[in-house]
């Protein structure tokens, strides 16, 4: 299986880090690749009880023998990159080989400044971004005033590009937002200071990955963010500024769609969301608090509490459709062990009508009320289960029911955060 995509099927934090790490340790994986987003991601990997969080780095950085790749579609803060690498090294981690695309766009300090200022100006309409400068960096890319990694090696060009990027931005900052202008010299000086350490990592990652696939090597594309946060297919405008869907992997890595063999959608056995925006199955009662508490639903990147709700099969079917999922990795089934009955949203009621598919308009989605079916709980600890047969009957029924209504088979189920706490349903 040479090219495998792992992506988020809900609003993020589904357990993509764990799923990626699990795949990378059970099969020999040659490359683990990030293709979109930046250090707005927060992926948790638990190895032998020890917890690691990756943000910009692919989870493969913890897998000796696999090369980690930050491909062209990612927005890279060199400061965040080295802070994260140094953090792992300080913990004694033997970090894997890392390659960074020469074409990836750079997040400079001014992108984070602009991210925070624009959010503040949006007031009650704010997106609830991570404040990491992701949106402004993608704006510069699309506006053709972005700085790319390769520019850090030519100070003259770099200065011209930073001047162009800051020209209008500084007018905005000083005249509209009432902030100090950003100095070109300081930005250039900071970015140039990363160049020497970056140089050996930088390459044409599209060429590298295509050659690897030609040679029959296995490449794992680790998604960040998720389908419902996709700028085209998510709950716009409450989304991130990139394309975390499967199609985005091709653009973000410079590989063709015919290369991809498996597309795995990671999905929680319930739903969570950080930041603003519609969320039909969101709970505002004790069940919501209990999911939040038992699931440890606190953001890895920002420390924000995640909003919680029941599993939404409309979202699952939508994710299956827009990503062409070949399978799901269902995580956090163990968290549902506390409930006598488990509701699952099978469709929406919108203005008195039963709706089975994601509604076409934002207004309809805002009005969507979940229609629930109820499943008997198993009320026992399943974190020690290692095969489907080990799971209590009611848990098996729950997984099989989700498989029937979610649009793709459930390949594996997570029963705990640890690498080994995985039950493979369809080997
Ligand atoms: P990601 O952004 O998709 O990689 O997910 P996060 O790391 O932000 O959040 C997922 C959280 O769930 C992390 O704390 C994981 O350690 C944890 N996790 C992943 N899979 C499972 C599982 O099957 N059971 C439990 N209890 N925790 C899990
Ligand atoms: P992982 O990879 C959950 C959300 C933010 C905000 C919106 C836009 O860990 O699943 P941005 O800073 O990207 O412009 O914020 O997207 N968001 C995430 N939510 N998990 C993530 O990543 C997220 N990355 C961005 O909370 O609502
Ligand atoms: Mg996360």
């Amino acid at each position: 299986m040479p090219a495998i995509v792992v992506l988020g099927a809900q609003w993020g934090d589904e357990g993509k880090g764990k799923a990626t790490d699990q795949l990378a340790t059970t099969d020999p994986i040659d490359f683990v690749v990030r293709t979109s987003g930046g250090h707005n991601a927060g992926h948790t990997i638990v190895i032998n009880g020890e917890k690691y969080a990756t943000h910009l780095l692919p989870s493969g950085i913890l897998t000796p023998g696999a090369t980690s790749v930050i491909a062209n579609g990612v927005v890279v803060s060199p400061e965040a990159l080295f802070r994260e690498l140094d953090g792992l090294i300080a913990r004694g981690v033997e970090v894997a080989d890392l390659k960074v695309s020469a074409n990836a766009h750079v997040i400079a300090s001014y992108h984070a400044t602009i991210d925070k200022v624009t959010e503040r100006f949006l007031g009650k309409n704010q997106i609830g971004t991570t404040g990491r400068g992701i949106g402004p960096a993608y704006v510069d890319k699309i506006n053709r005033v972005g700085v790319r990694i390769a520019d850090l090696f030519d100070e003259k060009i770099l200065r011209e590009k930073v001047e162009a990027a800051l020209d209008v931005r500084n007018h905005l900052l000083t005249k509209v937002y009432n902030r100090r202008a950003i100095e070109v010299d300081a930005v250039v000086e900071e970015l140039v200071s990363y160049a020497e350490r970056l140089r050996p990592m930088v390459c044409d990652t599209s060429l590298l990955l295509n050659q690897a696939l030609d040679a029959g090597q296995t490449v794992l594309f680790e998604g960040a963010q998720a389908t419902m946060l996709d700028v085209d297919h998510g709950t716009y405008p409450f989304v991130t500024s990139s394309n975390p869907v499967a199609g985005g992997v091709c653009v973000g890595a410079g590989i063709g769609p015919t290369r991809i063999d498996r597309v795995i959608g990671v999905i929680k056995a319930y739903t969570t969301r950080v930041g603003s925006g519609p969320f039909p199955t969101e709970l505002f009662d004790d069940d919501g608090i209990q999911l939040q508490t038992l699931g440890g639903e606190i953001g890895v990147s920002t420390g924000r509490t995640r909003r919680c709700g029941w599993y939404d099969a409309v979202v699952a079917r939508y994710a299956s459709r827009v990503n062409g999922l070949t399978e799901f990795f269902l995580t956090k089934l163990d968290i549902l062990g506390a409930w006598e009955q488990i509701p699952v949203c099978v469709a929406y009621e919108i203005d008195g009508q039963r709706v089975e598919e994601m509604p076409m308009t934002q207004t309809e989605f805002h009005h969507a009320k979940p229609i629930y079916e109820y499943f008997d709980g198993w009320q026992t600890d399943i974190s020690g289960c290692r095969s489907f047969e080990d799971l209590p009957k009611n848990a098996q029924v729950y997984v099989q029911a989700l498989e029937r209504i979610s649009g793709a088979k459930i390949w594996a189920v997570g029963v705990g955060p640890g690498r080994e706490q995985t039950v493979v349903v369809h080997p």
Side-chain angles (χ1 to χ4, degrees):
M1 275 296 173
I4 306 169
V5 172
V6 174
L7 55 81
Q10 296 161 317
W11 278 279
D13 306 323
E14 298 90 350
K16 298 176 290 292
K18 177 191 156 145
T20 305
D21 175 65
Q22 210 270 335
L23 276 158
T25 42
T26 46
D27 294 307
I29 299 284
D30 300 295
F31 293 87
V32 184
V33 189
R34 278 280 310 270
T35 62
S36 67
H39 61 303
N40 49 346
H43 296 181
T44 317
I45 300 108
V46 179
I47 306 168
N48 299 328
E50 186 93 11
K51 196 164 165 177
Y52 301 91
T54 60
H55 299 278
L56 175 58
L57 294 171
S59 301
I61 204 77
L62 302 171
T63 312
T67 299
S68 283
V69 177
I70 295 177
N72 58 279
V74 178
V75 281
V76 180
S77 156
E79 185 273 325
L81 175 73
F82 291 130
R83 186 161 30 88
E84 200 175 329
L85 262 182
D86 291 340
L88 290 174
I89 293 165
R91 282 180 71 179
V93 174
E94 196 187 316
V95 292
D97 194 19
L98 174 67
K99 298 288 175 210
V100 180
S101 168
N103 286 347
H105 278 251
V106 170
I107 300 186
S109 53
Y110 55 85
H111 291 116
T113 306
I114 290 156
D115 195 351
K116 288 176 194 141
V117 168
T118 34
E119 276 284 273
R120 211 166 299 144
F121 259 66
L122 281 171
K124 69 175 176 43
N125 294 325
Q126 64 180 223
I127 312 289
T129 72
T130 59
R132 304 280 153 91
I134 308 297
Y138 279 117
V139 165
D140 281 2
K141 173 177 174 172
I142 301 302
N143 208 19
R144 293 160 297 187
V145 292
V147 171
R148 299 197 289 180
I149 291 289
D151 299 327
L152 304 192
F153 306 115
D154 186 329
E155 191 171 335
K156 185 166 165 285
I157 298 251
L158 176 66
R159 182 172 299 276
E160 283 171 17
K161 295 202 171 179
V162 172
E163 272 166 358
L166 285 180
D167 185 23
V168 178
R169 283 286 170 62
N170 270 337
H171 284 294
L172 262 179
L173 277 173
T174 53
K175 293 176 187 147
V176 178
Y177 295 129
N178 214 9
R179 301 280 294 236
R180 267 207 317 249
I182 289 159
E183 285 177 31
V184 171
D185 281 350
V187 173
V188 171
E189 193 183 319
E190 186 192 345
L191 292 179
V192 163
S193 75
Y194 302 119
E196 281 324 299
R197 194 170 172 197
L198 261 174
R199 195 182 287 275
M201 302 173 186
V202 177
C203 70
D204 178 342
T205 53
S206 164
L207 181 65
L208 177 76
L209 295 172
N210 277 284
Q211 284 175 338
L213 290 168
D214 287 343
Q217 292 190 292
T218 303
V219 180
L220 194 53
F221 294 97
E222 176 183 1
Q225 290 75 55
T227 307
M228 300 305 284
L229 290 172
D230 185 279
V231 69
D232 282 80
H233 301 286
T235 46
Y236 190 91
F238 300 102
V239 292
T240 191
S241 301
S242 66
N243 287 114
V245 293
V249 170
C250 297
V251 181
I255 61 149
T258 48
R259 292 288 202 176
I260 296 172
D261 299 275
R262 286 173 77 185
V263 184
I264 303 172
V266 186
I267 194 158
K268 269 181 206 177
Y270 52 96
T271 313
T272 65
R273 172 163 207 175
V274 236
S276 321
F279 176 2
T281 63
E282 183 170 13
L283 293 164
F284 300 96
D285 57 8
D286 286 349
D287 282 334
I289 293 167
Q290 211 175 349
L291 280 175
Q292 202 266 316
T293 313
L294 295 174
E297 298 298 349
I298 308 278
V300 181
S301 280
T302 56
R304 289 179 292 176
T305 302
R306 296 175 184 149
R307 300 154 65 191
C308 295
W310 299 118
Y311 188 87
D312 186 336
V314 184
V315 166
R317 288 195 291 273
Y318 181 68
S320 175
R321 166 158 62 93
V322 299
N323 294 298
L325 295 184
T326 57
E327 60 230 274
F328 282 107
F329 189 124
L330 182 74
T331 57
K332 295 198 138 179
L333 187 67
D334 51 304
I335 303 303
L336 297 182
W339 278 269
E340 208 173 313
Q341 277 217 312
I342 304 165
V344 169
C345 169
V346 294
Y348 299 143
E349 190 202 302
I350 303 173
D351 302 329
Q353 301 284 319
R354 184 183 170 102
V355 175
E356 304 273 342
E357 294 294 334
M358 186 61 65
M360 191 179 75
T361 67
Q362 190 191 357
T363 309
E364 290 169 299
F365 193 61
H366 274 278
H367 292 168
K369 292 195 187 73
I371 297 173
Y372 288 115
E373 269 182 30
Y374 296 83
F375 293 86
D376 289 333
W378 43 95
Q379 296 191 280
T380 173
D381 178 9
I382 59 166
S383 61
C385 295
R386 292 293 175 270
S387 75
F388 190 66
E389 291 67 37
D390 283 350
L391 292 174
K393 186 76 194 142
N394 285 349
Q396 294 184 11
V397 169
Y398 183 78
V399 171
Q400 284 163 339
L402 294 196
E403 181 165 88
R404 264 197 312 280
I405 59 177
S406 299
K409 72 178 180 192
I410 294 175
W411 164 63
V413 176
V415 293
R419 222 178 220 183
E420 68 296 345
Q421 289 177 298
T422 303
V423 167
V424 176
V425 185
H426 297 287

